[in-house]
């Protein structure tokens, strides 16, 4: 059985629901409204992981919003909040 969590993030001028499916080695993050997903592989290099996620968002969001979303998602992955 796969457990999927739904978390709503506030972005400038919008609220966006993100879906998270976790395993020990990765988290699949999807945004159905954008028809977009990203496989966040758990590693020892947090800065590289964050940079790769931000780059994946840059085709959808402007740089500032992509940075905000990356920081919010990273915080959620690390703390659950």
């Amino acid at each position: 059985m796969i457990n999927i969590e739904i978390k709503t993030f506030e972005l400038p001028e919008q609220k966006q629901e993100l879906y998270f499916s976790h395993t020990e080695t990765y988290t699949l993050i999807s945004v159905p409204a954008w028809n977009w997903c990203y496989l966040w592989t758990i590693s020892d290099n947090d800065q590289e992981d964050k940079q790769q996620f931000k780059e994946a968002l840059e085709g959808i969001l402007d740089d500032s919003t992509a940075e905000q979303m990356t920081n919010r998602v990273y915080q959620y992955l690390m703390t659950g909040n």
Side-chain angles (χ1 to χ4, degrees), residues 8 14 16 27-28 31 34 37 42 44 57 65-66 73 76-77:
T8 302
Q14 65 177 307
Q16 198 57 63
T27 297
L28 179 64
V31 184
W34 300 340
C37 65
I42 309 302
D44 293 333
L57 286 172
T65 306
V73 167
Y76 174 72
L77 291 174

Side-chain angles (χ1 to χ4, degrees), residues 14-42:
Q14 65 177 307
K15 283 184 173 181
Q16 198 57 63
E17 284 187 343
L18 279 73
Y19 292 66
F20 295 87
S21 179
H22 306 279
T23 73
E24 290 181 20
T25 57
Y26 68 84
T27 297
L28 179 64
I29 304 165
S30 65
V31 184
W34 300 340
N35 195 28
W36 181 89
C37 65
Y38 183 82
L39 188 63
W40 187 304
T41 304
I42 309 302

